[in-house]
Amino acid sequence: MPVYRVLRAEGAFPFHVVDRDGLPHPELTLYACLSVRHHASLTARAYTREVVSFASWATDHPVVIRQGWQLLGPPAQVRALLAFFLASEMKCIVALGRDRGGFETRRIEPTWQTGRRLERLLAALRSFYTVLHEHGRYRHGNPMDADGARRYIEEERRRQLQAFVDAHGRMPMPADSGVDGVREMRLSASYFRLKGNQWLPEILDEPALMNRVMSAGEQWGWTLRETGLVRILFDTGCRVHEACQLSVADWVQSGFMREMLSISKGSHGRRVKRLFITDRTVKVLRRYVDEQRARLDPRGCGLTELAELPVETLHHLPLFLTRHGTSLSPDHFRRNYWTPALDAAGLQLRCHQVRHWFVTQALNDIHQRARSAEELQSLRGALRELMAWKSDMLPIYDQAIRRHDLPDLAHRIHARIEREHRHDRARRSQPTPHPESLTESQRMLDEMLKP
C-alpha cells in the first residue's frame, strides 16, 4: 500500500494528500490543490499522481531513510534522491555532465527497462518545487535547475540584445516579422538532461484491429454504452477523455447524426474539434440514448425528448452516463471495461493507441490516393485540421513510420542480396566451353585479349 494517497474533499482544499494514518501532508496537499492554477486540469492531476507516487517511494525506501534524504531538503539532497530513483527504479543511466555555460548537470539516458513516464516525472517535480517556492513552502531554489543556470541564461540574452542594439542602434523587431532574423538562444536551465528520449507515436498498421477489439468487447459483455464509446475512438481518433466528456449538446447540433463537437487537449472546455462518425456508430449511439441512457437519465429522456430541450440545458447532460446518472470518467471506463475485456481476449492495447492506429490508417490512405505532391500536401493539411493538433505532428509520425518500416526495408535488402548471390553461384557453376567448340571469331578475340 502506498504511503500517501489523494482524497477528494470540500471547501478551500478540494484535495487532501494523507498518509497511512490519515494525517495530511501539508506540502503535497497544497500542490494537489494549487497545481490546477498552473496547468490544465488533466495535466495537474497527472503531475499530482507522479509527485505523490515519488513521495511515497522516497518515504518508504530503506536506502533513502539511511541516507537521510528528504523530499523538501536542500537542492543537493533532492538531486541525490532523484538520481538514485532514476538509476535504481527507472533503470536509467545517470552520468555527471557539464553544460556549455559551465554549470554541472546530470545526463539521463533511458534504457529498454525505463518506463514511459520519465519525462512526465521530471516535469511534475519541476512544477512541484516551483509552486511550493512561490507559496513560501520551499525556501531553497528549484532543485530541478542547475546552480546559476537561470542567471547565466538571462545574462547571455541581455548580452546578445545589447550587442544587437550597439550594432543597429535600435531594438530588434519581433521574431514573427522576419525583418531581423534574430534567433533566440535555446538554453536550458535543467539540472537533469534527457538524452535519446525523443517521443515517437506507436505505429499500428493492422486494419483489422477495430474488429478484434469490438469482438473482445462483445465476448466480455460490453453494453451499448461501451460499444458506442469505443466506436467513437476508432472512428475519430479522439482521446478517451474527449469522448467521455461529450455532452448531448455536442451531438444534437447535427440532429443526432454523423457529426459531433468535442473539446481538445488544452482547450479548457471549449468545443474546438469536430468529430465525424460512421452510420453504424450513429445507429449504436441512437439505440443507446433511447434505451440504456434513457433508463439512467433522471428525466427518462430519449432522443425525441432531448431534441426538444433547450441547448443550454443539454450542455449539462453527459452523453455517457454511469448507473448513478453521473458522467462516465476515463479511469472508470479503462479500469472496469476496456482493460478486462482486452485482457480476456489476450490483446495488449491501451486506449490511446487507438489514436495512433487512426492516424496510421489515415496516412496510409492519403499516400495511396494522392496523385500529385500538391494533392498530398493538401490532404495532409486536412488531416492536421481534423486532428486539431496545435503543432504539426505529421513529421513526427513520418519519422515513426520510417522506423516502423525498417524491418521491411532490411528484409528487401537481404532478399536482393540473396538473389544476386544465387545468380552468381549459378553463373559460376556453368561449364567453361571447350576450345574446339569456339568459333573462329571467338578464338581470334581470345588471342587478342591474352596478356
Side-chain angles (χ1 to χ4, degrees), residues 108-110 194-198:
I108 311 301
E109 186 170 352
L194 289 179
K195 179 183 178 183
N197 195 39
Q198 182 184 8

Side-chain angles (χ1 to χ4, degrees), residues 235-250:
D235 284 354
T236 66
C238 69
R239 302 172 180 88
V240 65
H241 78 270
E242 295 169 356
C244 287
Q245 292 189 37
L246 287 170
S247 69
V248 177
D250 296 329

